[in-house]
């Protein structure tokens, strides 16, 4: 049997025929040896039979047999059926290994006994239940006593056909018992494909070849578009790359329109020509060319082409909020993430975990007000829950976890120690919200956030560039810090939310104020609005509240008051705050003879602050000032700088902005002489955390994410997504998304590896400003957080 035609199956068919031919040759050789053995045994048996016949020669009728009579070739010995039992006992047992089950049917045919039966005339009784051979073997028996010669002749095509039928029958049996059998079915499936035995083996996809290849201009345009993330990181504006792409596009005026897509490719490309943009047209061109080659995309490290399966587990979104501070430190990164966790968990659509730093006793004394300390994380958790529940008015159903942190007196902030992502279990790792993502990842040495979590959102709270500019060599430090922030944010975040345009432009960022105010402040404002308009609502003048460091607006405030001291009549201003620069601020105010009254820091909702009418906040280092929003919610007048950080508040009638020192004097006098206008319900809702939570969900693109689940990719257990709500990716869309995301993913991965390598070198960490001992978790933290001992790794 000749192998099947076609180049694809020629080589496997030749190997299969070679294997079968070799097996038949070995069988033939073994049969020849068996024939010789049988011949010698038959001759000895005949001699013994001859001796027994000689004893009764005279009495037998054979004594008168003519000497020249011919032998009956059908029964030369005149044997009976009983006498044939002797020959039956002589059947040889072949020592050949019959490992192939398909050859068992041919084993009986290769024995000599059935052929001798046929020669003796007993073939009909012996051949019952045996398949009739295609070619009968010719057995030639010469005269009695002469040498017997047995010759077996057969053609190759008939045995090969029989072997093929046997293999097909055996494969069908194996396929029917594959579930319970330990037979390597894969081997027989390969034999099926090589021999063209399967029904689907001949079905080869015929992909269209009439799609023209990509032109040089199209390749250049695709390369420029893929290089946009790198060019953006290097500082080349997107307008430049768009103009370059437009030049390439206008120069080609490519003749390949969507009409060149083959009929087979059109089934995968369902976009409407009328609605296609130029970028979509290029994407579809690339997809059609790749699809015309017969390439079937099965998903890869840069794509999201997954197989979704049904799941019955809890499909609520798991959101882990990681922040850089915790109560009782009254700072924005401690208060705002706490409210965000409370209102996200209130809806019941998300499982929320708030991850906050745990400080040792020495750091607690330096950070927390009034020398407040906690013996254990559980004690601090009780304090935090009570504080937030007293202000929101409902029970907060979210988890609170702690990670080790150390306070840096130089940076006046808390730095994480060790890999803090491990404090979120892998089964709960779904969405991560990094409050101040650059701060959390400057010295981070651990698992990449975007590898562990499905979606990572960064919320930028602080304008660190403005703080750095105030230090020695501030311009140089700000330049370096800008690129470091770009680096770490690109590595660890999928989406970045900037509260205002006051912050630097970061990769994958958008501007949206996702903060609200404490409901207590809105309640205070509502009560003031309900009071009789004839009665005075405020009995005190102006004040300012904030952490007493120069970067929080105290430098601007002192300079403005000193410059306009005589014009303002040395206004009496109360300051509420505590901080590292308290003594310096007091000394500066005394130097200029300013009428400033200093008070310890307190909660903005404290009753002692309700009587003030004007809140003066000259700070330009904030992103969105929380105290400004709180003052507006309480119905006060706010005087603030005309700065991007105050853009959100310009629509409020009680917000007075200024640009120059002269306007500052004018706005302050106007505020002291005016009465604030009551807030309308629309503006009250705009300041609430309910509205801020809605803005956060929309801006963070949480609704566009597939539901949470578990999926399996290349043997690794990950999230699987329900089939009823998951968006299946067609081959065309996967092919289009592959070149768009390839370069960006490779760049992000390379940057993350570089950051992990550098953050693991202690000398480099110390040179960059990290605290000693923050690479790993110390024993003191392990004891406080009840952590297991570190794993010992031997070798490099």
């Amino acid at each position: 049997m000749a192998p099947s035609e076609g180049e694809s199956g020629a080589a496997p068919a030749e190997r299969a025929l070679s294997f079968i031919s070799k097996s038949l040759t070995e069988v033939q050789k073994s049969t020849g040896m068996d024939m010789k053995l049988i011949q010698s045994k038959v001759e000895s048996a005949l001699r013994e039979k001859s001796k027994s016949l000689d004893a009764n020669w005279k009495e037998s009728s054979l004594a008168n047999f003519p000497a020249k009579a011919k032998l009956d070739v059908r029964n030369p010995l005149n044997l009976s059926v009983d006498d044939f039992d002797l020959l039956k006992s002589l059947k040889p047992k072949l020592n050949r290994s019959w490992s192939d089950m398909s050859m068992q049917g041919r084993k009986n045919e290769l024995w000599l006994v059935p052929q001798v039966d046929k020669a003796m005339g007993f073939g009909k009784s012996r051949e019952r239940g045996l398949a009739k051979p295609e070619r009968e073997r010719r057995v030639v028996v010469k005269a009695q006593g002469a040498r017997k010669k047995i010759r077996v002749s057969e053609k190759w095509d008939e045995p090969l056909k029989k072997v093929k039928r046997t293999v097909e029958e055996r494969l069908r049996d194996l396929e029917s018992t594959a579930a319970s059998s330990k037979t390597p079915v894969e081997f027989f499936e390969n034999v099926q494909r090589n021999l063209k035995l399967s029904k689907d083996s001949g079905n080869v996809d015929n992909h269209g070849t009439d799609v023209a290849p990509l032109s040089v201009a199209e390749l250049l345009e695709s390369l420029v578009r893929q290089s946009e993330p790198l060019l953006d990181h290097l500082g080349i504006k997107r307008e430049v790359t768009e103009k370059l792409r437009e030049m390439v596009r206008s120069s080609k005026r490519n003749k390949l329109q969507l009409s060149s897509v083959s009929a087979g490719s059109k089934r995968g490309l369902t976009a409407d020509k009328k609605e296609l943009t130029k970028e979509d047209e290029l994407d579809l061109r690339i997809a059609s060319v790749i699809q015309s080659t017969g390439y079937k995309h099965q998903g890869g490290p840069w794509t999201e082409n997954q197989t979704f399966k049904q799941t019955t587990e809890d499909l609520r979104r798991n959101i882990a909020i990681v922040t850089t501070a915790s109560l009782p430190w009254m700072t924005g990164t401690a208060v705002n993430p706490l409210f965000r966790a409370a209102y996200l968990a209130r809806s019941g659509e998300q499982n929320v975990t708030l991850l906050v730093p745990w400080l040792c006793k020495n750091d607690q004394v330096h950070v927390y007000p009034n020398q407040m300390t906690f013996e254990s994380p559980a004690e601090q958790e009780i304090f935090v829950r009570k504080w937030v529940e007293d202000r929101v008015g409902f029970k907060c159903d979210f988890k609170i976890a702690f990670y080790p942190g150390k306070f840096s007196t130089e940076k006046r902030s808390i730095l994480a120690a060790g890999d803090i992502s491990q404090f979120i279990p892998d089964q709960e790792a779904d969405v991560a919200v990094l409050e101040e993502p650059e701060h959390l990842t400057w010295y981070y040495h651990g698992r990449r956030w975007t590898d562990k979590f499905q979606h990572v959102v960064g919320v930028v709270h602080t304008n660190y560039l403005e703080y750095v500019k105030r230090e020695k060599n501030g311009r140089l430090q700000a330049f370096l810090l800008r690129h470091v922030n770009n680096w770490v944010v690109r590595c660890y975040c999928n989406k970045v939310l900037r509260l205002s345009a006051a912050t630097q432009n970061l990769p994958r960022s958008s501007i949206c104020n996702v903060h609200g105010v404490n409901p207590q402040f809105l309640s205070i404002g509502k009560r003031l609005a309900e009071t009789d308009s004839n009665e005075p609502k405020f009995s005190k003048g102006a004040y300012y509240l904030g952490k007493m460091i120069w970067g929080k607006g105290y430098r601007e405030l002192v300079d403005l008051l000193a410059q306009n001291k005589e014009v303002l009549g040395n206004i009496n201003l109360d300051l509420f705050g505590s901080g590292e620069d308290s003594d310096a601020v007091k000394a500066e105010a005394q130097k200029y003879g300013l009428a400033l009254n200093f008070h310890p820091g307190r909660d903005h909702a404290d009753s002692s602050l309700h009587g003030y009418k004007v809140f003066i906040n000259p700070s330009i280092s904030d992103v969105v000032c929380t105290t400004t929003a709180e003052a507006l919610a309480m119905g006060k007048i706010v005087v603030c700088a005309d700065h991007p950080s105050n853009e959100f508040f310009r629509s409020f009638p009680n917000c007075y902005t200024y640009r120059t020192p002269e306007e500052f004097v004018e706005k302050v006098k106007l505020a002291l002489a005016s009465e604030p206008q009551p807030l309308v319900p629309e503006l009250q809702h705009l300041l609430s955390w309910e509205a801020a939570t809605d803005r956060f969900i929309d801006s963070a693109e949480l609704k566009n994410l597939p539901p949470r689940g578990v999926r399996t990719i290349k043997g690794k257990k990950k999230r699987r997504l329900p089939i009823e709500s998951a968006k299946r990716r067609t081959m065309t869309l996967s092919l289009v998304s592959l070149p768009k995301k390839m370069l960006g993913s490779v760049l992000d991965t390379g940057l993350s590896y570089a950051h992990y390598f550098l953050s693991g070198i202690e000398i480099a960490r110390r040179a960059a400003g990290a605290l000693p001992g923050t690479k790993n978790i110390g024993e003191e933290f392990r004891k406080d957080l009840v952590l297991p001992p570190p794993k010992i790794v031997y070798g490099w």
Side-chain angles (χ1 to χ4, degrees), residues 137-356:
R137 292 157 178 76
R138 295 194 299 270
V139 181
V140 180
V141 182
K142 293 186 177 181
Q144 183 179 2
R147 182 178 179 183
K148 303 174 183 62
K149 182 177 181 181
I150 301 176
R151 180 164 55 92
V152 180
S153 62
E154 51 187 330
K155 293 183 179 181
W156 284 103
D157 56 343
E158 297 298 334
L160 289 177
K161 291 180 180 179
K162 193 161 188 177
V163 169
K164 177 183 176 181
R165 287 194 297 270
T166 306
V167 171
E168 287 178 337
E169 294 175 359
R170 185 57 183 164
L171 287 173
R172 284 193 292 269
D173 296 338
L174 288 174
E175 290 174 356
S176 62
T177 59
S180 59
S181 175
K182 296 182 180 180
T183 306
V185 182
E186 293 80 2
F187 170 77
F188 294 101
E189 291 176 351
N190 293 333
V191 174
Q192 273 188 320
R193 288 192 294 270
N194 294 336
L195 296 180
K196 303 294 183 181
L197 299 180
S198 62
K199 296 181 180 180
D200 301 332
S201 60
N203 298 333
V204 181
D205 294 337
N206 296 321
H207 301 278
T209 58
D210 57 342
V211 179
L214 295 174
S215 63
V216 177
E218 289 173 331
L219 292 174
L220 181 59
E221 183 182 357
S222 177
L223 178 61
V224 173
R225 187 175 61 181
Q226 295 176 26
S227 304
E228 283 183 354
L230 177 61
L231 298 176
D232 181 62
H233 184 74
L234 296 177
I236 300 177
K237 296 182 179 180
R238 184 162 298 182
E239 292 79 5
V240 178
T241 59
E242 290 179 355
K243 289 182 180 179
L244 179 59
R245 288 167 52 191
E246 185 63 30
M247 292 173 57
V248 175
R249 191 181 298 116
S250 60
S251 63
K252 62 174 183 166
R253 298 298 181 187
N254 62 333
K255 302 179 181 179
L256 298 176
Q257 302 297 331
L258 292 178
S259 58
S260 65
V261 181
S262 64
S265 301
K266 287 182 181 179
R267 289 191 293 268
L269 306 177
T270 59
D272 189 357
K273 293 182 183 179
K274 298 180 180 180
E275 299 179 358
L276 289 177
T277 62
K278 295 180 180 180
E279 294 184 357
D280 295 335
E281 185 176 337
L282 178 62
D283 291 339
L284 293 177
R285 274 282 296 138
I286 296 173
S288 63
V289 172
I290 298 176
Q291 188 175 0
S292 65
T293 63
Y295 172 74
K296 291 184 178 296
H297 182 64
Q298 302 296 335
W302 300 301
T303 63
E304 301 174 357
N305 183 22
Q306 310 299 341
T307 300
F308 305 128
K309 298 182 179 180
Q310 193 90 19
T311 179
T312 57
E313 62 179 335
D314 183 10
L315 296 180
R316 290 188 299 172
R317 181 73 62 198
N318 280 342
I319 300 179
I321 301 176
V322 188
T323 185
T324 57
S326 177
L327 296 178
W329 192 12
M330 299 300 297
T331 184
T333 54
V335 175
N336 291 312
L338 181 59
F339 282 115
R340 194 187 324 280
Y343 280 89
L344 282 173
R346 184 185 186 185
S347 64
E349 298 179 359
Q350 298 91 11
N351 298 319
V352 181
T353 300
L354 179 64
L355 190 61
V356 297

Side-chain angles (χ1 to χ4, degrees), residues 23-24 26-28 30-31 34 92-111:
S23 301
L24 291 176
E26 294 178 356
V27 170
Q28 186 178 8
S30 178
T31 304
D34 294 337
K93 295 182 180 180
L94 302 181
N95 55 1
R96 185 174 180 273
S97 175
W98 298 86
S99 60
D100 191 355
M101 299 298 295
S102 65
M103 299 298 294
Q104 291 293 338
R106 298 196 49 83
K107 184 176 179 180
N108 294 330
E109 296 177 9
L110 295 174
W111 286 339

Side-chain angles (χ1 to χ4, degrees), residues 404-467:
K406 288 188 175 183
F407 180 71
S408 172
T409 55
E410 180 182 357
K411 294 180 172 57
R412 299 183 179 93
S413 58
I414 299 174
L415 301 178
D419 181 6
I420 62 177
S421 68
Q422 63 179 310
F423 293 93
I424 302 297
D426 289 344
Q427 61 272 17
E428 298 179 6
D430 182 21
V431 175
V433 181
L434 303 184
E435 310 279 353
E436 293 194 323
E438 69 277 49
H439 184 161
L440 287 169
T441 55
W442 280 332
Y443 312 109
Y444 176 73
H445 182 72
R447 185 176 178 182
R448 188 179 176 188
W449 290 95
T450 52
D451 288 342
K452 180 170 183 176
F453 291 85
Q454 182 180 358
H455 190 62
V456 181
V457 181
V459 181
V460 180
H461 289 248
T462 308
N463 188 0
Y464 286 105
L465 299 182
E466 188 65 30
Y467 287 121

Side-chain angles (χ1 to χ4, degrees), residues 7-18:
E7 296 180 359
S8 61
E14 290 177 3
R15 289 197 296 269
L17 289 176
S18 176

Side-chain angles (χ1 to χ4, degrees), residues 740-751:
K740 290 180 89 173
K741 297 182 179 179
M742 182 184 299
L743 184 60
S745 299
V746 171
L747 177 61
D748 295 346
T749 303
L751 291 175

